[in-house]
Amino acid sequence: APKDFPTVSDNNGLKGKCVKLTTLSTGKFGADLKMPIAAGNLFMGTFNALTAVSNALKATQFGMPFEYEPLYITGYYKYKAGEIFSENGVNVSGKKDECDIYAIFYETDKDTKMLDGTNNFTSPNLVSIARINNPKETEQWTSFYIPFIMQPGKTIDQEKLKKGGYNVAIVFSSSKDGGNFNGAIGSTLYIDEVELIYKSNE
């Protein structure tokens, strides 16, 4: 049923509906492919289903053209970690799952049209990153305010910005390392009322 997928709409938002992201088991099929879990995730970008089995990290491509300098992201979340953390299907005692909330802003060029799960934090094209620090478990709607931090030595070419030469992506995941199939089944993240605040070009 639709409500049983890792990423679903939920009626119990801070205001109306929200998104519910849950880390789930992929069953025997996923285990045989060494992809034992699927973290609930929501992001700006595209997903290449043709390469998902052979290279899941590259299949997740982050970003959309953005003609303004982003300043920070805000919103509300609730989070509860699952009970048993595992790394590629093997239980790890003493380790706890974490959610992830972040945004990236990067420059595009002839060699880099999109960033993906392999280089979203390491690409030399990254200009600024906004990422939640030590997210906590909370049953109450909790606000977040995350500024974009400019990467060392980076500047923004205003002319290239106006021409669509930069991309931005906002990403949410119920398991921080879910892209590598590490996390806890049952970890659940709720997200609502997200805003991307940017600087006017005028």
Side-chain angles (χ1 to χ4, degrees):
K3 65 181 179 60
D4 297 325
F5 280 82
T7 302
V8 298
S9 174
D10 189 87
N11 292 325
N12 301 305
L14 176 70
K15 296 180 181 179
K17 294 188 177 186
C18 65
V19 64
K20 178 184 178 184
L21 311 174
T22 309
T23 301
L24 301 176
S25 168
T26 55
K28 184 180 185 306
F29 176 77
D32 289 345
L33 292 173
K34 300 188 184 303
M35 301 177 177
I37 65 169
N41 64 87
L42 185 68
F43 63 93
M44 295 168 62
T46 62
F47 183 75
N48 187 342
L50 296 178
T51 61
V53 173
S54 60
N55 194 329
L57 289 176
K58 276 198 168 293
T60 308
Q61 300 178 330
F62 302 113
M64 297 176 64
F66 196 64
E67 299 174 6
Y68 303 91
E69 178 184 349
L71 299 177
Y72 53 91
I73 55 173
T74 69
Y76 291 83
Y77 79 102
K78 295 192 295 184
Y79 184 67
K80 175 66 177 176
E83 293 185 2
I84 302 174
F85 188 91
S86 67
E87 294 183 353
N88 204 20
V90 179
N91 294 347
V92 179
S93 61
K95 194 165 185 179
K96 198 170 185 66
D97 205 1
E98 286 187 340
C99 64
D100 208 1
I101 300 171
Y102 69 89
I104 54 175
F105 180 63
Y106 63 92
E107 185 176 5
T108 61
D109 54 38
K110 62 182 179 64
D111 298 318
T112 304
K113 302 300 182 185
M114 300 279 280
L115 297 188
D116 57 48
T118 68
N119 62 0
N120 53 331
F121 292 119
T122 59
S123 170
N125 288 57
L126 280 168
V127 176
S128 60
I129 300 173
R131 194 174 195 183
I132 194 168
N133 185 30
N134 297 321
K136 63 181 181 179
E137 289 187 277
T138 172
E139 296 181 359
Q140 306 297 322
W141 284 108
T142 302
S143 64
F144 59 83
Y145 171 97
I146 313 172
F148 280 80
I149 305 299
M150 193 73 75
Q151 298 301 285
K154 291 293 183 177
T155 58
I156 297 173
D157 183 329
Q158 295 298 322
E159 288 303 314
K160 185 172 182 178
L161 183 67
K162 293 176 183 178
K163 294 177 180 178
Y166 292 83
N167 283 0
V168 70
I170 303 174
V171 184
F172 306 100
S173 178
S174 55
S175 291
K176 187 174 184 177
D177 199 25
N180 291 310
F181 310 105
N182 303 326
I185 292 171
S187 292
T188 304
L189 172 65
Y190 293 86
I191 293 288
D192 203 1
E193 296 297 305
V194 176
E195 291 184 276
L196 171 62
I197 309 302
Y198 58 88
K199 182 186 293 186
S200 171
N201 289 339
E202 296 180 358

